[in-house]
């Protein structure tokens, strides 16, 4: 049986865990066992996952058990140079803590799932394979992000790591739990590329297609193919 390792963070007393989508995806349909710092182990069930933000939500299968959990810090209070700590399972060395600083804020990265994640925290705290899904903490021990990936020619720590910030987590996770998906507003339109619009002498924003029943359709907008 092939095993894989990853990290996660408990965010509620009833055992809700946040981790990376790619950590869960790597597990496929295999059983998930969560090992806590006090050596207890519990099976966990995947509730839902959001590929766009590379986040997933699990719940420990332990009815009636109360778990220690991390409090969230407000992302708006973060500054470059703040001391941070990363906890994870690098190379199977469980509950490893590394320290560093916030190197940059508001980064945009391509996730392992080839989706763009905005507003990401960059840190030089050592993050290695197995750290994915683990917490990035401030000096007060509050959660400020979930470690998601590194930039490294060798695949190991090179001083550039990234974490999905807590403001994305606090927006995405409650929606996954309540609605089973992340609700993202959209107009329901596709646009004609600017180069083609200029060639046709069109000014403004030309609409190629409108999704039936979408916001644009309900507002009465029309596409070029429908005519005036």
């Amino acid at each position: 049986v092939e095993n894989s390792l990853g990290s996660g963070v408990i965010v509620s007393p009833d055992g809700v865990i946040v981790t990376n989508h790619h950590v869960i995806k790597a597990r496929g349909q295999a059983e998930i066992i969560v090992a806590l710092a006090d050596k207890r182990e519990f099976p966990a069930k995947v509730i839902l996952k959001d590929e766009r933000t590379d986040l997933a939500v699990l719940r420990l299968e332990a009815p009636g058990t109360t778990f220690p959990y991390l409090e969230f810090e407000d992302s708006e209070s973060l500054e470059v140079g703040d001391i941070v700590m990363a906890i994870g399972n690098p190379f199977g060395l469980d509950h490893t803590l590394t320290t560093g600083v916030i190197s940059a804020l508001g980064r945009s990265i391509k996730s392992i799932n080839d989706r763009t994640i905005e507003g990401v925290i960059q840190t030089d705290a050592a993050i290695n394979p197995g750290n994915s899904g683990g917490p990035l903490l401030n000096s007060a021990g509050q959660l400020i992000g979930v470690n998601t990936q590194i930039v490294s020619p060798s695949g190991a720590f090179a001083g550039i790591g990234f974490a999905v910030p807590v403001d994305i987590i606090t927006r995405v996770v409650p929606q996954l739990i309540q609605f089973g998906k992340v609700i993202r507003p959209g107009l329901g339109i596709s646009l004609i590329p600017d180069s083609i619009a200029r060639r046709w002498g069109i000014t403004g924003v030309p609409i190629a297609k409108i999704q039936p029943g979408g916001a644009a359709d309900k507002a009465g907008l029309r596409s070029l193919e429908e005519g005036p």
Side-chain angles (χ1 to χ4, degrees):
V1 178
E2 183 178 352
N3 295 322
S4 62
L5 300 172
S7 304
V9 52
I10 301 177
V11 296
S12 73
D14 59 346
V16 172
I17 292 176
V18 177
T19 185
N20 284 145
H21 171 271
H22 74 262
V23 169
I24 302 306
K25 185 177 181 181
R27 298 293 299 166
Q29 299 299 316
E31 182 182 14
I32 297 174
I33 300 294
V34 175
L36 304 185
D38 59 10
K39 307 303 181 183
R40 288 183 298 169
E41 294 186 353
F42 296 92
K45 179 181 180 181
V46 178
I47 300 177
L48 288 160
K49 44 199 175 183
D50 181 53
E51 189 173 359
R52 178 178 285 185
T53 56
D54 196 20
L55 293 176
V57 181
L58 290 69
R59 188 185 298 276
L60 295 174
E61 296 186 303
T65 305
T66 300
F67 295 95
Y69 64 97
L70 285 177
E71 296 180 351
F72 295 164
E73 170 63 299
D74 187 350
S75 293
E76 293 184 359
S77 67
L78 302 179
E79 295 181 354
V80 173
D82 285 353
I83 295 173
V84 295
M85 299 171 285
I87 300 178
N89 190 31
F91 305 110
L93 300 170
D94 60 325
H95 305 101
T96 294
L97 182 144
T98 56
T99 63
V101 299
I102 293 177
S103 304
L105 295 166
R107 295 293 198 202
S108 296
I109 62 169
K110 280 284 188 182
S111 72
I112 293 176
N113 305 308
D114 201 32
R115 301 293 185 99
T116 299
I117 308 177
E118 305 286 351
V120 172
I121 301 168
Q122 180 184 331
T123 179
D124 66 350
I127 297 174
N128 286 289
N131 272 109
S132 290
L136 187 68
L137 311 173
N138 63 12
S139 57
Q142 296 170 310
L143 182 69
I144 63 171
V146 167
N147 302 316
T148 187
Q149 65 173 269
I150 61 175
V151 172
S152 170
S154 66
F157 173 63
I160 301 177
F162 299 103
V164 178
V166 73
D167 58 336
I168 292 180
I169 297 168
T170 54
R171 185 175 72 247
V172 167
V173 171
Q175 291 189 44
L176 286 175
I177 294 173
Q178 183 175 356
F179 303 113
K181 62 180 180 179
V182 179
I183 299 173
R184 295 184 171 95
L187 290 175
I189 61 175
S190 58
L191 304 178
I192 292 174
D194 289 342
S195 58
I196 296 177
R198 287 195 299 268
R199 193 183 314 151
W200 290 350
I202 297 175
T203 58
V205 182
I207 300 173
K209 291 184 179 180
I210 292 180
Q211 178 184 352
D217 185 27
K218 292 178 180 179
L221 297 181
R222 301 178 67 86
S223 66
L224 288 178
E225 65 181 17
E226 293 176 292

